[in-house]
RNA sequence: GGCGACGUAGCCAAGUGGUAAGGCAGAGGUCUGCAAAACCUUGAUCACGGGUUCGAAUCCCGUCGUCGCCUCCA
């Protein structure tokens, strides 16, 4: 009964052991806020939300920190183009992202630090690195001296020699060696700037995460997460910075989610092939995206498209359908096979999730329970008989962050239309009694066009949003 | 060119040494006035080629392919 996690650092699944018993510290790299967030960002956030929920389910007290990078070149560039204040621009997108987190049913992190609010800590950390000989100031900039970090490359599996011969690295006179990266950047007039020992400037990207993690979670943390596109250079550099300063291993487990792909390519802001979270949620229930993520393995690339989204939606519907009440008047007790399936699903769900958060496997066990519940219902098992199995389904779905009780394919509950739909169905029941099939079918078809699915049961008809 | 991950039925996807979960789609059936939902039945020897082993999808080597990173990127 131990959790195993795939650690990018060792390229192996390892038994999960925390620094402190029953406590987990997680730092996840959040977005750079210069544009609308897309469903790829949502995937990352969902993956770590699911991990966090499961760890809590398994009894851990989780400290979860996610940052916002609210000052960097892209933000400044974008603000210049739009002729707005870069801080306002960042603020606007942070606010939007927060709303997305809420809409996506993401548990709030313990803390959402921002680069601009941590300048003091960042400067302190840079000074510490300079004092230890790991960084040097150069013309208003400060660079990390990569050659001074013993294990540089250990996360991404790269060798310094290989990279130095790489053709993509620009030669920069201010750097002592080409791979050195900026900790502090001197600002140009008009750019956001803070006073520092090296003059007016702003922090480099990598140092902010090291600093925030250090000051909010401590020298060492349990899990550091992010998209696998951050492995190099971002996380490699974080390791270099933090470990050079503390002399201790930074994160015990490096966890990276795969990239969401749109038509065979990584969805990204720079490629421009994206679907924004806002656009997606305008058309779909948030649980559809979560289902898409759950049905795959978080480390692999995930295809996003009409087909996979459709699959996710139907799979979600199937889970929801299992929560339907017993047939009217049914009173049967829970049969043995249902009890057996409950025990089996309990074990299977936990075993799967313990194994590097194998959500697809866990879902498989949930679907087995779904079938058993449906079988039982068909056999006339009553509400009490179904309650335990349905309760378990709801509980485990909740662990994964699915809100099955929010019925309605696109997030609509019965809502204001309910009385009117009910009225139509009442009239339709009359038509059916009189065997006026053409008319009653017309009502059903027209309702279907409006997104209402009507299902005729033995007694009465039920309806739900498509 | 370098580093890394991956390649399981039409699609999505578990399984990592003992003869392949689950979902979607398809086919047939039960139920239904017809539908829908649900239930039952139905499909793959695991990219390819070698090797290790009594035995491999599962370990090793090679080939091909896909994706990611090497520049900002979840």
């Amino acid at each position: 009964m131990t959790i195993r996690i795939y650690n990018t650092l060792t390229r192996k699944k390892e038994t999960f052991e925390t620094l402190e018993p029953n406590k987990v510290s997680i730092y996840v790299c959040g977005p750079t806020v210069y544009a609308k967030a897309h469903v790829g960002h949502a995937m990352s956030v969902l993956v770590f939300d699911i991990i966090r929920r499961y760890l809590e389910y398994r009894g851990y007290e989780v400290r979860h920190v996610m940052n916002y990078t609210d000052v960097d070149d892209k933000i400044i560039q974008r603000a210049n183009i739009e002729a707005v204040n870069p801080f306002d621009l960042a603020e606007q997108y942070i606010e939007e992202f927060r709303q997305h987190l809420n809409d996506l049913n993401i548990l709030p992190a313990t803390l959402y630090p921002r680069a601009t609010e941590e300048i003091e800590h960042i400067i302190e950390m840079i000074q510490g690195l300079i004092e230890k000989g790991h960084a040097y100031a150069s013309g208003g900039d400060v660079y990390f001296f990569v050659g001074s970090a013993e294990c540089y490359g250990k996360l991404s599996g790269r060798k310094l020699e290989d990279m130095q011969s790489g053709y993509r690295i620009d030669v920069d006179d201010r750097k002592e060696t080409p791979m050195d990266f900026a900790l502090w950047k001197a600002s140009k007039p008009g750019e956001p700037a803070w006073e520092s020992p090296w003059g007016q400037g702003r922090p480099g990207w990598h140092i902010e995460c090291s600093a925030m993690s250090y000051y909010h979670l401590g020298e060492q943390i349990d899990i550091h997460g992010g998209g696998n596109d951050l492995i190099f250079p971002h996380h490699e550099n974080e390791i270099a910075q933090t470990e050079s300063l503390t002399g201790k291993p930074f994160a015990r487990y490096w966890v990276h989610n795969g990239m969401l792909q749109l038509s065979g390519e990584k969805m990204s802001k720079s490629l421009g092939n994206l679907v924004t979270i806002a656009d997606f949620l305008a058309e779909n229930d948030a649980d559809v995206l979560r289902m898409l993520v759950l049905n795959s393995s978080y480390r692999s690339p995930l295809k996003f498209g009409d087909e996979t989204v459709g699959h996710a939606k139907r799979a979600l519907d199937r889970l929801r359908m299992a929560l339907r009440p017993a047939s009217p008047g049914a009173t049967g007790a829970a049969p043995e096979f249902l009890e057996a399936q409950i025990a089996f699903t309990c074990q299977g769900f936990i075993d799967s999730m313990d194994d590097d958060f194998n959500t697809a496997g866990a879902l498989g066990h949930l679907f087995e329970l779904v079938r058993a519940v449906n079988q039982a219902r068909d056999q006339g098992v009553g509400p009490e008989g179904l309650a335990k199995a349905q309760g378990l389904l709801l509980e485990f779905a909740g662990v994964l962050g699915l809100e099955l009780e929010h019925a309605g394919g696109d997030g609509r509950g019965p809502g204001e239309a309910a009385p009117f739909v009910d009225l139509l169905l009442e009239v339709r029941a009359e038509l059916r009694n009189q065997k006026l099939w053409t008319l009653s079918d017309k009502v059903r078809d027209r309702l279907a066009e409006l997104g209402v699915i009507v299902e005729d049961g033995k007694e009465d008809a039920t309806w739900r949003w498509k």
Side-chain angles (χ1 to χ4, degrees):
Chain A
M1 292 292 273
T2 52
I3 295 176
R4 291 175 11 106
I5 299 185
Y6 181 87
N7 190 350
T8 306
L9 193 59
T10 56
R11 313 268 170 203
K12 279 192 298 226
K13 282 185 196 171
E14 295 175 357
T15 300
F16 185 55
E17 284 167 10
T18 55
L19 292 158
E20 281 183 72
N22 302 317
K23 289 189 180 181
V24 186
S25 50
I26 305 179
Y27 184 94
V28 180
C29 291
T32 302
V33 283
Y34 70 94
K36 282 183 167 298
H38 57 71
V39 285
H41 299 112
M43 175 194 177
S44 186
V45 159
L46 280 164
V47 163
F48 290 100
D49 183 61
I50 291 158
I51 288 175
R52 182 250 176 102
R53 282 171 186 269
Y54 187 67
L55 290 174
E56 289 186 343
Y57 175 75
R58 295 291 262 115
Y60 289 96
E61 187 185 312
V62 177
R63 262 184 82 72
H64 174 198
V65 172
M66 191 192 85
N67 72 299
Y68 286 110
T69 299
D70 61 349
V71 58
D72 90 330
D73 296 350
K74 291 246 162 144
I75 296 173
I76 294 167
Q77 195 184 13
R78 182 71 178 251
N80 284 340
I81 291 169
E82 294 184 13
V84 295
N85 178 314
F87 295 111
D88 292 344
L89 184 86
E91 187 62 41
Q92 172 198 335
Y93 287 118
I94 285 176
E95 198 41 56
E96 190 176 274
F97 201 80
R98 275 195 179 141
Q99 187 58 47
H100 290 330
L101 293 179
N102 185 57
D103 294 342
L104 290 167
N105 190 28
I106 306 295
L107 291 177
T110 316
L111 214 61
Y112 293 102
R114 306 178 187 193
T116 56
E117 292 173 354
E118 309 276 334
I119 301 294
E120 216 175 299
H121 293 150
I122 292 171
I123 290 176
E124 252 175 65
M125 195 159 197
I126 295 173
Q127 278 179 311
L129 285 169
I130 293 177
E131 279 162 25
K132 291 202 169 188
H134 292 290
Y136 55 89
S138 173
D141 296 337
V142 180
Y143 292 96
F144 185 89
F145 177 42
V146 168
S148 75
E150 285 171 34
C151 299
Y152 193 78
K154 70 178 176 182
L155 180 69
S156 55
R158 288 154 208 259
K159 295 192 188 84
L160 218 42
E161 310 88 73
D162 295 341
M163 290 187 282
Q164 280 169 350
S165 60
Y167 52 85
R168 293 213 197 186
I169 299 156
D170 295 330
V171 179
D172 189 330
D173 293 342
R174 291 168 297 183
K175 296 182 186 179
E176 285 182 13
T177 54
M179 287 305 298
D180 294 352
F181 56 89
L183 298 174
W184 188 261
K185 296 179 175 183
S187 57
K188 300 189 190 86
E191 287 182 348
W194 288 264
E195 202 53 58
S196 82
W198 318 284
Q200 293 269 316
R202 64 189 137 88
W205 177 38
H206 313 298
I207 192 68
E208 69 174 79
C209 286
S210 281
M212 293 185 217
S213 177
Y214 183 92
Y215 285 98
H216 295 297
L217 293 173
E219 292 188 331
Q220 294 182 283
I221 62 175
D222 292 303
I223 296 175
H224 192 119
N228 68 12
D229 55 347
L230 298 182
I231 294 173
F232 189 89
H234 187 51
H235 288 167
E236 195 70 73
N237 291 352
E238 281 188 50
I239 290 176
Q241 292 164 159
T242 301
E243 297 190 357
S244 293
L245 193 70
T246 65
K248 295 175 185 168
F250 178 16
R252 295 175 71 101
Y253 305 92
W254 286 86
V255 179
H256 293 98
N257 64 276
M259 292 293 103
L260 191 72
Q261 300 184 332
L262 192 64
S263 49
E265 258 187 325
K266 178 175 82 160
M267 184 180 288
S268 80
K269 285 184 255 193
S270 20
L271 290 171
N273 61 332
L274 50 81
V275 175
T276 65
I277 296 175
D279 287 347
F280 182 85
L281 290 178
E283 296 286 319
N284 299 280
D285 187 334
D287 272 353
V288 171
L289 193 57
R290 188 176 286 261
M291 199 65 185
L292 189 69
V293 170
L294 288 169
N295 191 40
S296 67
S297 92
Y298 76 88
R299 288 191 277 130
S300 305
L302 172 55
K303 283 181 198 160
F304 181 90
D306 292 343
E307 195 176 3
T308 54
V309 170
H311 282 172
K313 179 168 167 22
R314 282 187 289 271
L316 183 63
D317 281 342
R318 187 165 162 78
L319 284 181
R320 286 182 172 146
M321 291 294 197
L323 295 178
R324 296 175 139 188
S327 309
T331 55
E336 202 172 304
F337 76 82
L338 188 57
E339 292 290 346
Q341 186 55 249
I342 287 172
F344 192 72
T345 293
C346 262
Q347 191 62 48
F349 181 89
I350 289 168
D351 285 350
S352 289
M353 289 300 285
D354 275 0
D355 182 14
D356 194 32
F357 313 106
N358 179 355
T359 51
L363 270 186
H365 291 288
L366 249 41
F367 280 114
E368 285 168 359
L369 182 62
V370 164
R371 185 189 298 124
V373 167
N374 289 334
Q375 281 172 331
R377 188 192 299 100
D378 281 359
Q379 290 174 17
V381 174
E384 290 79 16
L386 295 183
K388 190 173 166 193
Q390 289 180 322
L392 185 69
L393 201 55
L394 209 50
E395 181 190 336
F396 281 158
V399 171
L400 301 175
L402 294 169
E403 298 189 298
L404 297 186
E405 279 175 319
H406 285 197
D410 59 0
R412 286 180 289 188
E416 292 174 358
F420 303 101
V421 177
D422 288 341
L423 175 64
L424 277 169
L425 290 192
E426 219 176 291
V427 176
R428 180 168 172 276
E430 260 319 300
L431 297 175
R432 295 187 69 221
N433 276 338
Q434 296 175 34
K435 300 196 190 300
L436 296 170
W437 306 124
T438 318
L439 268 182
S440 72
D441 287 353
K442 185 176 178 185
V443 172
R444 188 175 59 197
D445 293 345
R446 295 282 290 121
L447 279 172
E449 284 169 23
L450 297 171
V452 174
I453 296 174
V454 175
E455 296 179 352
D456 295 317
K458 280 214 167 75
E459 306 285 317
D460 15 55
T462 57
W463 67 276
R464 62 192 161 91
W465 290 105
K466 193 173 181 177

